[in-house]
Amino acid sequence: MSDHGDRAAFSLAIVGRPNVGKSTLFNRLVGKRLALVDNTPGVTRDLREGAARLADLRFTAIDTAGLEDATGDDLPARMRRLTERAVDEADICLFVIDARAGVTPLDQTFAEILRKRARHVLLAANKSEGQAGEAGALEAYGLGLGDPIRLSAEHGEGFEDLLDALRPLADAFSAQDAEARRRAAEDAPAVEIPLDAEGEVDAEAAVLLADAPDRPIQIAVLGRPNAGKSTLVNRILGEDRLLTGPEAGITRDAIGLPVDWEGQRFRIFDTAGLRKRAKVQEKLEKLSVGDALRAARFAEVVILLLDAERPFEAQDLKIADLVETEGRAVVVAVNKWDLEQDKGARRAELQERFDRLLPQLRGAPLVTLSARDGSGLKRLRAAVLAARRAWSVRVPTSKLNRWLAGEVSRHPPPAPSGRRLRLRYITQAKTRPPTFIL
């Protein structure tokens, strides 16, 4: 067996009609329930990437929206264009059909598209367990994409055959990757670390090395539906990576995307819009809301995105309260600022409402921006880093107790029954968030 190490040597886009089991297959390959799964067609709308493993192979799996025969600018058409982009960029496309339903005219249409656009195509007949999928798996030969791989993503069957089909392609990609890295190493200039007179690393350089980020900062963007969360994430990424549009509730999965934002590594999670609990009825929306809340719990910084036309509504305040209870660092961002006329007066009004309605977030940054034209993004990045620094701060016990002594002298504690309470000392128990014991 060839050893591909931990490096992802190729990307595999999983494509096909809606409801053929692409997200179930994706979850099986990445070994986690990253993608939402439901019997409702069209659950997946955005592209979701994950580090996948199949025996000794390491690769990037891409879950895509179901291909539909749609054109124009409506939601299904925009979803199709996003999937076609994944087809163009992926090293390998795994075309999945439903063996129980057999080959449909839509399958034949998309097989023709993949023959023209994809670099390498593998055909998988999913739901092939038992006799029900036998006829459909045989029909798949007629698509002209080679031997179909019989799979059952739900039951974990047929993955040895998928491994056998991927291995020769993986070996070729791995060889190309090794050659590209060898050439890059030959062309790369030597990196010199400045040394002092004694040959030691320069002190200033040592500080820079110590502060070098070893992992990305985790950010989650939360807010009500249609506040512009996906548009903001696309603007930060510098590309239309996520599906956007005038329809509320487009985003369903909480998708984490890596980005280098002006030299700092981040992983930013776009999330589903959070509506009032009474309005969340459908099972699928409940799954989406749960996914968004999980993203908030694992984030370091939460950007609470408000709509400038309707800021600080009851649902915004509930989301802010939830984030504060979870102990995350918070940045409050007001989107659609480009639509405001008297920005100075409006900014003062927003700050007053923020201070009055969200006292539990006192001191958190309030940033105005426009996800549409990109204005205010530098302020947002600075606010995120400042909030994370405050979230991670550790105050020495001696400094805390000097502060406590001053406060006690200015505001002595009460004296119930004639005996004054004594506040002995204060210390910081932990960071992230800073927590103190008095």
Side-chain angles (χ1 to χ4, degrees), residues 5-28:
D6 293 328
R7 188 178 178 87
F10 63 94
S11 57
L12 177 77
I14 305 170
V15 298
R17 290 187 294 108
N19 222 30
V20 296
K22 298 183 298 298
S23 293
T24 304
L25 177 57
F26 172 83
N27 284 342
R28 180 74 69 169

Side-chain angles (χ1 to χ4, degrees), residues 177-428:
D177 191 43
E179 177 62 18
R181 277 182 284 156
R182 184 189 65 78
R183 290 178 181 173
E186 290 176 353
D187 296 338
V191 178
E192 293 185 4
I193 299 176
L195 304 178
D196 62 18
E198 283 73 35
E200 298 293 331
V201 175
D202 180 80
E204 186 175 346
V207 171
L208 292 174
L209 289 171
D211 288 343
D214 57 347
R215 65 179 185 83
I217 296 172
Q218 309 277 341
I219 306 175
V221 184
L222 265 64
R224 289 183 289 109
N226 228 24
K229 298 180 293 298
S230 297
T231 304
L232 173 61
V233 174
N234 279 341
R235 177 63 65 175
I236 293 171
L237 294 172
E239 59 176 321
D240 291 335
R241 179 70 171 71
L242 298 170
L243 199 62
T244 62
E247 304 91 345
I250 290 178
T251 301
R252 286 174 171 168
D253 292 84
I255 296 178
L257 299 166
V259 59
D260 186 304
W261 190 3
E262 296 185 13
Q264 173 67 57
R265 293 171 58 217
F266 293 88
R267 188 169 187 83
I268 185 164
F269 286 81
D270 183 30
T271 64
L274 301 177
R275 299 197 298 162
K276 293 179 181 177
R277 183 177 295 181
K279 293 186 177 181
V280 179
Q281 300 292 341
E282 296 180 12
K283 174 190 171 187
L284 181 54
E285 189 172 358
K286 289 179 180 177
L287 290 172
S288 298
V289 169
D291 213 27
L293 297 181
R294 273 192 298 276
R297 290 188 186 104
F298 286 104
E300 297 171 84
V301 182
V302 170
I303 298 173
L304 174 56
L305 195 65
L306 311 182
D307 187 332
E309 296 176 328
R310 295 182 299 140
F312 299 110
E313 291 199 343
Q315 185 65 3
D316 295 324
L317 305 184
K318 288 180 181 177
I319 297 170
D321 199 47
L322 177 138
V323 173
E324 190 273 336
T325 302
E326 290 294 334
R328 305 301 92 187
V330 184
V331 173
V332 179
V334 182
N335 190 24
K336 306 180 185 178
W337 195 242
D338 53 312
L339 303 177
E340 293 294 330
Q341 300 301 320
D342 188 353
K343 290 181 168 55
R346 182 64 167 157
R347 180 72 171 75
E349 179 194 341
L350 289 173
Q351 188 66 58
E352 185 277 329
R353 294 182 66 186
F354 176 37
D355 295 340
R356 175 168 48 87
L357 296 172
L358 292 173
Q360 69 271 41
L361 297 184
R362 181 181 171 188
L366 176 65
V367 179
T368 54
L369 58 88
S370 170
R372 187 169 65 176
D373 65 20
S375 60
L377 286 195
K378 286 185 180 295
R379 292 195 300 272
L380 179 63
R381 179 183 178 278
V384 166
L385 294 177
R388 184 175 180 271
R389 279 195 300 272
W391 187 63
S392 307
V393 75
R394 179 170 287 282
V395 185
T397 300
S398 58
K399 189 174 181 179
L400 284 171
N401 283 290
R402 284 196 299 273
W403 168 82
L404 178 63
E407 291 300 306
V408 167
S409 66
R410 281 190 293 273
H411 308 284
S417 304
R419 296 186 59 187
R420 189 168 300 282
L421 296 176
R422 287 191 63 192
L423 301 180
R424 297 181 180 277
Y425 72 96
I426 184 172
T427 188
Q428 184 170 352

Side-chain angles (χ1 to χ4, degrees), residues 24 45 109 272:
T24 304
R45 289 175 169 176
T109 299

Side-chain angles (χ1 to χ4, degrees), residues 101-183:
V103 175
T104 68
L106 207 51
D107 289 326
Q108 293 173 339
T109 299
F110 294 131
E112 187 63 32
I113 291 172
L114 290 173
R115 264 196 294 272
K116 293 175 181 176
R117 298 181 71 147
R119 301 177 200 175
H120 301 280
V121 182
L122 297 177
L123 176 61
N126 192 29
K127 308 181 186 178
S128 289
E129 68 276 9
Q131 297 297 317
E134 187 69 28
L138 291 173
E139 275 183 41
Y141 282 94
L143 292 172
L145 295 174
D147 296 345
I149 304 163
R150 302 188 185 195
L151 292 176
S152 172
E154 188 172 352
H155 296 94
E157 298 174 5
F159 284 83
E160 298 86 352
D161 295 333
L162 178 59
L163 176 64
D164 291 341
L166 284 174
R167 189 176 296 287
L169 293 172
D171 288 338
F173 284 121
S174 185
Q176 292 172 13
D177 191 43
E179 177 62 18
R181 277 182 284 156
R182 184 189 65 78
R183 290 178 181 173

